[in-house]
Amino acid sequence: MGKASRRKKDTQGKTTKVAPAPYVARPFEGLPGEPDWVAAYEILPAATAVLTLKAGAVPEGSPATVTLASVLPMARPALRRQDGEILIASQSGSSSSDPSRDLAQALLTALATEPGAPIPQLPRTTVETPRLQELIDTDAPFEITVHEGFDFWVDGRELTGEAAASLEQANGSVVPTSPIAGTPSTYWCRIGERTYIRHVLADDEDTATTALARLHAKGAAHLDDERRLLGAFRAGGLLVPVWEVPADSEPSEHEGAVADFAERYTSAAAATDELTAEERRARSGLLSRQVTLR
């Protein structure tokens, strides 16, 4: 199999090339709660969400729902429990330029796997692999649950010995993370001795960068003097501003300030006038400090 394609036989038995999955700038666009999909794929250490499958789009006899999990044991892309329950991992790593297709591949592989059988790796994702948008009900809400650790791996079962030690080690590595109530797709996290807030903006990256530049030019991009904008990173085609906040602060202390920022941002994103010279400089500064995850 070549680097850029895989081969298969057509109905006449001839070998043909199958193109790789194409690059998609916003892989989760069209899914409900796109910013939280990006958060689950990029920044949430231990989180789950229930996905409702689309009738007729998956094999007959498939379960009605599956669980999206940020990470699964041994970094597996998916698992099917003995009782048939299916989990797919949002952070198992992409093999193509379209994470939506990679997750769809994990889902289809799990659906075809016997209950209890391991899923160590996935078939290669190609242009013929359906996208997640084709397999799940996009009218159903996407609701993220952030966990303190990975106890959801064992679904309430008691562990002993090496398995218990492994789970304890995984739980000990989790970055404390919590949603900020009142503002969607906004997460407080404590990394070492420093504490941050990360907010996944719902607009396309260009619109979000311009709006943030308008705010930054007039000093309105900070939450306040103690909670200042460090910059923003790109993830899944969206923009994620990051503020550093007092290290000993708790999530609930920032709800009002984050909500106020969200209002300022909405107004800035709706503006249509040309950028001023100062706003253009602010935009260039934001772009020069941006990084792309994955």
Side-chain angles (χ1 to χ4, degrees):
M1 182 166 61
K3 292 182 179 180
S5 64
R6 38 180 317 198
R7 297 175 182 272
K8 69 172 185 178
K9 292 185 177 180
D10 61 19
T11 54
Q12 284 76 43
K14 297 179 180 179
T15 300
T16 59
K17 289 184 178 180
V18 180
Y23 169 74
V24 178
R26 289 175 64 177
F28 304 113
E29 186 176 16
L31 290 171
E34 180 189 4
D36 271 337
W37 274 96
V38 170
Y41 181 68
E42 298 281 13
I43 65 176
L44 297 180
T48 57
V50 175
L51 308 179
T52 301
L53 301 186
K54 185 182 295 183
V58 292
E60 187 175 352
S62 297
T65 62
V66 300
T67 297
L68 179 79
S70 52
V71 179
L72 290 174
M74 300 175 65
R76 287 179 175 167
L79 64 84
R80 188 163 195 175
R81 300 191 196 276
Q82 195 66 49
D83 62 4
E85 181 187 6
I86 289 174
L87 293 88
I88 60 174
S90 60
Q91 296 177 25
S92 63
S94 288
S95 63
S96 78
S97 298
D98 184 1
S100 176
R101 276 192 169 89
D102 294 327
L103 285 169
Q105 183 69 272
L107 171 59
L108 293 172
T109 301
L111 289 171
T113 299
E114 290 295 320
I119 306 174
Q121 60 184 6
L122 302 175
R124 186 179 177 87
T125 303
T126 73
V127 69
E128 295 184 352
T129 307
R131 306 190 73 231
L132 204 59
Q133 287 85 338
E134 302 169 53
L135 302 181
I136 69 171
D137 182 358
T138 55
D139 291 327
F142 182 68
E143 298 177 349
I144 287 279
T145 299
V146 178
H147 303 271
E148 293 183 359
F150 296 107
D151 290 340
F152 64 86
W153 284 354
V154 297
D155 196 28
R157 292 188 293 272
E158 290 288 337
L159 295 181
T160 58
E162 186 176 341
S166 178
L167 179 60
E168 183 178 1
Q169 181 179 13
N171 284 341
S173 69
V174 173
V175 171
T177 302
S178 179
I180 299 291
T183 304
S185 312
T186 308
Y187 297 93
W188 168 101
C189 66
R190 182 168 287 145
I191 302 175
E193 297 181 353
R194 303 176 74 175
T195 303
Y196 306 93
I197 291 174
R198 299 181 284 191
H199 177 35
V200 188
L201 299 173
D203 296 301
D204 67 82
E205 183 185 318
D206 186 64
T207 298
T209 301
T210 298
L212 199 60
R214 291 183 189 275
L215 295 176
H216 199 275
K218 55 185 179 183
H222 305 300
L223 298 182
D224 58 28
D225 289 342
E226 286 191 312
R227 296 173 283 193
R228 303 185 67 79
L229 180 73
L230 296 181
F233 62 85
R234 301 185 297 273
L238 301 182
L239 194 69
V240 187
V242 180
W243 297 270
E244 183 165 12
V245 300
D248 59 352
S249 64
E250 297 300 324
S252 60
E253 298 175 42
H254 308 291
E255 293 171 7
V258 171
D260 288 345
F261 167 82
E263 286 189 12
R264 297 195 299 273
Y265 169 82
T266 298
S267 297
T272 57
D273 51 305
E274 292 290 328
L275 293 179
T276 65
E278 189 174 356
E279 288 169 344
R280 288 195 298 272
R281 285 193 294 271
R283 194 179 193 282
S284 296
L286 287 169
L287 289 172
S288 69
R289 298 195 303 273
Q290 281 183 11
V291 295
T292 300
L293 298 186
R294 296 182 192 262

